[in-house]
Amino acid sequence: MTGRFDTKLLPEGLRATGYSADSAILAIDAEVTDAKVICPGCGQRSSRRHGRYVRHLKDFPAHGRAVQVRLSVQRFRCVEANCATKTFSEQVPGCLACRYGRRTGRFQDLVAYLGRAMGGRPAQALGRRLRFGLSKDTFLRGAASGVRTVGCEPRVVGIDDWAWRKGQRYGTLICDLERRAVIDLLPDREPATVAAWLRQHPQIEIVARDRNGGYRQAISEALPGATQVADRWHLLQNASDAFLAAVRRAMPTIRRTACSAALDPGILTAAERLQFEGFQRRQQTNVMIQRMGSEGVPIKRIVPITGLSRGLIRRVLRGEREDVFRLRQSSLTPWFPLLEKHWLNGCRNGAELWRRLRSNGFQGSLRVVGEWATRQRRAEAAIPHGSGNCPPSRKIARMMSSGRHHLSKTDSIFVTQVEHALPQLAQDRRLLDVFTSMVRNGEEDGLADWLDQAKTSGLAAFSRGLSADLDAVAAALREPWSNGQTEGQINRLKMLKRQMYGATGIDLLLARLQHSA
């Protein structure tokens, strides 16, 4: 069926000259209205027609048929004799079709929109229903080509890294904190790359970041006048990690506090009794070494007196030689934290423990795990009244940093015993509480006093790190900006990467991040 087609169903700027239709395709003959006839070589207008050719453009499907626009494009001769361009085509506006494009502009915009909103395969499935007839790669190419630039220059930005491949390769995400939008993605997190991007945006006044030294260096080099703001969430996390490290250093004393009841040698096996007797002999040597260490005797003088190695003396001085039943180094050693976690959660069967380790990649035998479980049961049975169940360091740190009214009576008594035995650890906990309150309430005035008190505490390393980045930390307590938005955008980025199974380029990721429904 053929005839004339004179409706307004075509994109603006095209005039229909006819059509033909069958059961699958509706073909529309059209030509451009008000086309520019300007030579691209010399810029002169021309009216000397040379010929014409037909471009085939896909448009929106209609009434269950695919629509194809057969666009007639005229060619002209250049009127300038010396022009290198002898013939040229009339210019089709970019809103109608891009250069060498095979779809109309409005159809291409819809393809790019679906690709950014849904990804490749979901957009292909929807397009099949709508009779688009396009592949998933076409949708993804359209999405990647639709990267939008920021309309106005950002003033406050957040910078953070994200993983292309965790532990191996990282990129950088830059977020406009005022407009809550992703500005750009950088292919790596090198200071030079970040500094080069920042130099292109000299109007930036405030940069929120984590405590990554590379970003601090890049911002200082590219924008020395900008205010750097440390991320408050990372400050709280780093403070908690510093307190956890102090608890771990104090674990030998905490274990002695929890296991203050004496062992009953009568319930030990012969092998365990030998270990217990060796423990008692070691304790005499340990006491002597610790006494000399407290008196200031250097390790190199303790070595000839005791006949022990430097490494062993260091472990004694650090309190790392206090276990009753020592375990030999074996394939099970790296798995002790996971074993203790399952053990404290109530799993006491050796075979079940072995199966759980196997599911996490353990390659050892059932016998090794079974022997460990047997030793654990006998060690617990050797301590009367169950006083030997010392919680792991992470749980102790959480109990100490929680309010007493949130703890059970047993946990509250345990925390009281630990703080009584370790007054320095109790002081560290109070410093952690003060710092947390300062960050949450924006109390910049107390920061200097807190740093002075923390210099001689278990949080000394953390306080030194804060002093090295003091301006950014003070700005975090003073300014309303933080990197929470940037972390949220990185969470979106991870979700999009998982949706596309990690097979995506940086242009496609940026286009999908910038897309808003």
Side-chain angles (χ1 to χ4, degrees), residues 107-124:
F107 189 39
Q108 180 59 30
D109 289 343
L110 179 59
V111 170
Y113 180 91
L114 292 177
R116 291 193 297 268
M118 304 178 67
R121 292 185 186 276
Q124 181 187 24

Side-chain angles (χ1 to χ4, degrees), residues 278-431:
F279 167 75
Q280 291 177 317
R281 290 193 299 270
R282 290 197 307 274
Q283 282 297 90
Q284 299 174 2
T285 306
N286 292 352
V287 170
M288 179 179 65
I289 293 173
Q290 290 171 351
R291 186 177 66 253
M292 286 190 291
S294 64
E295 294 173 355
V297 180
I299 293 178
K300 64 180 181 180
R301 290 186 56 190
I302 301 177
V303 169
I305 295 174
T306 60
L308 302 177
S309 66
R310 285 174 174 261
L312 183 57
I313 292 174
R314 286 194 187 96
R315 290 200 300 273
V316 172
L317 294 176
R318 293 171 184 168
E320 299 176 0
R321 202 179 176 224
E322 304 292 335
D323 295 331
V324 178
F325 300 115
R326 292 186 299 171
L327 300 175
R328 293 182 180 178
Q329 190 80 9
S330 68
S331 61
L332 198 61
T333 303
W335 300 89
F336 283 162
L338 185 58
L339 274 172
E340 292 174 357
K341 177 182 176 182
H342 291 315
W343 187 268
L344 292 173
N345 288 335
C347 182
R348 304 303 173 94
N349 182 274
E352 176 61 23
L353 287 170
W354 176 73
R355 283 191 289 269
R356 293 186 182 185
L357 290 187
R358 291 280 291 183
S359 65
N360 285 276
F362 177 63
Q363 301 294 325
S365 65
L366 170 62
R367 180 183 60 81
V368 176
V369 181
E371 290 179 354
W372 180 87
T374 301
R375 284 193 296 269
Q376 288 293 106
R377 282 192 294 270
R378 288 176 176 171
E380 289 184 356
I383 301 173
H385 311 300
S387 58
N389 290 331
C390 181
S393 57
R394 189 174 294 276
K395 184 176 180 180
I396 294 174
R398 185 171 64 251
M399 288 192 299
M400 293 185 68
S401 56
S402 302
R404 293 292 177 83
H405 57 281
H406 293 304
L407 299 177
S408 64
K409 183 177 180 180
T410 303
D411 291 344
S412 181
I413 292 173
F414 176 79
V415 170
T416 303
Q417 292 174 339
V418 170
E419 292 184 347
H420 179 74
L422 293 163
Q424 181 60 57
L425 192 60
Q427 175 63 18
D428 295 343
R429 192 265 304 165
R430 286 190 287 272
L431 288 172

Side-chain angles (χ1 to χ4, degrees), residues 155 202 204-207 219-220 222-229:
R155 187 182 68 89
I204 293 176
E205 300 175 7
I206 299 175
V207 183
I219 299 167
S220 300
L223 301 174
T227 301
Q228 300 187 39
V229 180

